[in-house]
Amino acid sequence: MAVLPIRITGDPVLHAVASPVTEFDGELTQLVADMFETMEAAPGVGLAAPQVGIGLRLFVYNWEDDDEVLWRGVAVNPELLISTTSLDEADEDDDSEGCLSIPGERFPLRRADRAVLRAIDLDQQPFEIDATGWLARIFQHEYDHLDGILYADRLGHDDAKAARKVIKKRQWGTPGLSWTPGEEQLEG
Ligand code: ZN
């Protein structure tokens, strides 16, 4: 297993629509194992294949809810059905979202409160999870990655402006940038 470099916003793989998984082989098993290790090292609650440079429709997630239920798994070729999203302004605290591909930053974003995930696992067995709250947010965030959408693309006007500013300031937004969890970060 290995911790993989995580691509930073601006890398083309993060902004392209990913392709369905068709080969369920040892390579895929290895990729998923590495993605779990990378997500845990980051640490993060979800990680999509494009974030490690692989343009395939799959993501991993790992999150414990308030009742200490652990939601952990891999979703391959997922579909996501979401409830309507409130048009109210996003709450600075309750809706604060982050992304390993925009490391260290957080912005508030409204998400649908309920999302039904339908996917297959590595054994190609279908499963369905009817998620609410933060788990529904994780699924929406990760699913978006498979369509080349980052949460920064969905922010309200002022936050979008602030996000663009921070991305520019950190000299992100260009191809080829990544960071590797556990390695010393160079501040520049
Ligand atoms: Zn993300």
Side-chain angles (χ1 to χ4, degrees), residues 55-169:
L56 289 175
R57 301 188 75 81
L58 73 120
F59 64 77
V60 295
Y61 56 92
N62 185 46
W63 179 72
E64 194 179 273
D65 69 21
D66 290 342
D67 299 323
E68 293 177 20
V69 176
L70 182 65
W71 299 90
R72 180 185 167 88
V74 55
V76 179
N77 296 340
E79 289 172 43
L80 196 69
L81 308 173
I82 61 169
S83 60
T84 52
T85 307
S86 161
L87 294 175
D88 292 345
E89 208 174 308
D91 184 273
E92 284 291 337
D93 299 317
D94 293 347
D95 297 320
S96 173
E97 196 164 314
C99 177
L100 296 175
S101 292
I102 309 174
E105 305 297 337
R106 295 191 82 83
F107 292 97
L109 174 64
R110 276 275 174 188
R111 292 284 193 182
D113 189 54
R114 188 172 165 212
V116 176
L117 173 71
R118 287 180 188 151
I120 53 175
D121 62 19
L122 281 182
D123 298 322
Q124 301 187 57
Q125 294 304 306
F127 67 93
E128 182 177 302
I129 297 172
D130 191 340
T132 54
W134 204 261
L135 186 62
R137 179 185 293 274
I138 293 168
F139 289 162
Q140 290 167 78
H141 180 114
E142 300 309 328
Y143 185 87
D144 267 355
H145 274 300
L146 309 183
D147 284 337
I149 299 165
L150 299 189
Y151 86 107
D153 300 327
R154 293 195 181 276
L155 298 175
H157 182 261
D158 290 349
D159 290 315
K161 218 167 134 181
R164 277 198 300 273
K165 211 170 154 185
V166 96
I167 286 165
K168 199 176 163 193
K169 191 177 158 211

